[in-house]
Amino acid sequence: MKKMIKTAAVIMSTIMVFSMTACAKKADPKEVFDAAVKKNSELTSLDMDTTMKMTMTQGEETMDITVDMNMKMSNMNEDSMQYLADTKTSLMGQSMDARIFYKDGYYYMDGMGQKIKYPMDLNSMIASVEQTTAAADLAPSLMKSLSVREEGENRVLSYVADPAKMNAYVQDALKPLLGSMDVGMIIREVKGEYVINKDDYYTSMNMYMVMDMSSYGETLRIIMLLEGNFNNPGQPVNLELPSTDGYSDLSTYYGTSRGSSGATGPAAEIW
């Protein structure tokens, strides 16, 4: 069970890699896809609520995990970028809340009774956010099939991804995060839907994924459902970041923001 919990930390650090991909417009599904990806890649602000429900099975052992998150970003890809995320993780009858934010070259985390920070330059933070959202990089070529239907003023894009192509995409996207960690992933199935409004902005999404993860000599079957809502897409997001008082600087202990696994980014210090 401990191995399952540790592996879950990797999953929760990377699972959002799919969270902002695909699209719609009544015409050809590929044209709809291209239009929505282009429009959403131009966003400078984001306010998104997500719920991820995951079941991990190893032999006869099963563990259910639910992660609720609200993520806000403003001035994306600029020197003044701000990031704030509130998460609630529920597993084994317990709940753990955490608040994460980025300010003045530091990544802050307040959770599990600890307040920590470590230095992270802007480019590294942007790369970390891109690993979490992976919005503009997912191409129609990764899809096995696309279809679109009208629902009022909105369009709903349904997709089924090509597992082999998604495996290559995910492993490439996660290289900076996983570093030299002994983690292998094989994606078996990915499908989902995106709701897109008349302005080509995403308003909601869902994704179902089945994959096998090997770590520390064990293999887990993971079944995940991810649901998300984009709040006021296309509108500015105003963030009020928490106080930075009382946070312990991890660089004092490690001399760097790089984790023991060789990975960088928000998940690095887990290891």
Side-chain angles (χ1 to χ4, degrees), residues 201-219:
Y201 289 118
Y202 307 124
T203 62
S204 64
M205 57 78 68
N206 66 75
M207 183 191 70
Y208 174 82
M209 180 169 67
V210 179
M211 70 177 181
D212 294 329
M213 170 172 276
S214 59
S215 179
Y216 306 100
E218 304 288 347
T219 299

Side-chain angles (χ1 to χ4, degrees), residues 23-24 29 145-149 156-159:
C23 12
S145 65
L146 292 168
S147 63
V148 64
R149 68 181 187 272
V156 180
L157 180 85
S158 300
Y159 65 89

Side-chain angles (χ1 to χ4, degrees), residues 250-271:
L250 287 184
S251 64
T252 302
Y253 303 98
Y254 297 105
T256 177
S257 62
R258 183 180 299 272
S260 61
S261 66
T264 58
E269 294 305 333
I270 294 174
W271 307 98

Side-chain angles (χ1 to χ4, degrees), residues 13-22 37 40-41 43 45-48 50 69 71-73 76-77 81 83 85 125-138 166 169 173-174 177 194 202 205 207 226 230:
S13 300
T14 63
I15 205 68
M16 298 297 292
V17 83
F18 304 100
S19 66
M20 289 180 60
T21 46
V37 167
N40 287 273
S41 70
L43 285 172
S45 297
L46 175 69
D47 182 350
M48 184 178 183
T50 64
M69 180 174 72
M71 177 175 62
K72 293 183 174 71
M73 289 186 284
M76 293 162 62
N77 300 321
M81 186 186 80
Y83 173 89
M125 184 61 196
I126 291 173
S128 175
V129 170
E130 288 176 347
Q131 289 167 2
T132 304
T133 59
D137 295 329
L138 190 62
M166 290 302 297
Y169 169 77
L174 299 185
L177 179 66
Y194 282 76
Y202 307 124
M205 57 78 68
M207 183 191 70
L226 177 66
F230 300 84

Side-chain angles (χ1 to χ4, degrees), residues 42-266:
E42 295 170 352
L43 285 172
T44 59
S45 297
L46 175 69
D47 182 350
M48 184 178 183
D49 292 304
T50 64
T51 296
M52 185 269 290
K53 296 181 180 180
M54 181 169 62
T55 298
M56 304 175 65
T57 303
Q58 179 184 14
E60 296 182 356
E61 290 187 328
T62 297
M63 181 170 66
D64 294 321
I65 302 174
T66 299
V67 181
D68 296 302
M69 180 174 72
N70 172 259
M71 177 175 62
K72 293 183 174 71
M73 289 186 284
S74 64
N75 303 324
M76 293 162 62
N77 300 321
E78 298 180 11
D79 290 344
S80 57
M81 186 186 80
Q82 292 183 313
Y83 173 89
L84 175 66
D86 289 298
T87 69
K88 179 178 181 179
T89 302
S90 303
L91 72 159
M92 301 176 66
Q94 297 184 343
S95 295
M96 296 169 284
D97 296 330
R99 169 163 281 194
I100 302 164
F101 63 97
Y102 180 76
K103 184 177 182 180
D104 298 331
Y106 270 84
Y107 178 91
Y108 294 82
M109 180 182 294
D110 181 357
M112 295 185 290
Q114 295 185 335
K115 299 174 74 172
I116 61 173
K117 68 177 183 179
Y118 57 88
M120 179 183 287
D121 62 55
L122 181 63
N123 289 336
S124 296
M125 184 61 196
I126 291 173
S128 175
V129 170
E130 288 176 347
Q131 289 167 2
T132 304
T133 59
D137 295 329
L138 190 62
S141 60
L142 294 173
M143 299 302 173
K144 181 185 295 184
S145 65
L146 292 168
S147 63
V148 64
R149 68 181 187 272
E150 300 268 349
E151 286 191 359
E153 293 187 343
N154 296 327
R155 293 146 297 156
V156 180
L157 180 85
S158 300
Y159 65 89
V160 177
D162 185 309
K165 293 178 180 179
M166 290 302 297
N167 274 313
Y169 169 77
V170 170
Q171 292 186 21
D172 183 64
L174 299 185
K175 277 182 182 178
L177 179 66
L178 298 179
S180 60
M181 292 163 56
D182 180 20
V183 177
M185 284 181 282
I186 300 177
I187 296 173
R188 304 295 183 184
E189 181 181 6
V190 179
K191 60 183 179 181
E193 291 185 334
Y194 282 76
V195 178
I196 297 134
N197 65 18
K198 60 184 178 61
D199 297 317
D200 286 334
Y201 289 118
Y202 307 124
T203 62
S204 64
M205 57 78 68
N206 66 75
M207 183 191 70
Y208 174 82
M209 180 169 67
V210 179
M211 70 177 181
D212 294 329
M213 170 172 276
S214 59
S215 179
Y216 306 100
E218 304 288 347
T219 299
L220 307 177
R221 168 59 58 94
I222 299 155
I223 299 176
M224 186 198 74
L225 175 64
L226 177 66
E227 299 176 316
N229 290 296
F230 300 84
N231 303 313
N232 302 313
Q235 300 301 311
V237 175
N238 297 316
L239 297 186
E240 184 173 343
L241 297 179
S243 169
T244 59
D245 294 340
Y247 284 80
S248 300
D249 191 341
L250 287 184
S251 64
T252 302
Y253 303 98
Y254 297 105
T256 177
S257 62
R258 183 180 299 272
S260 61
S261 66
T264 58

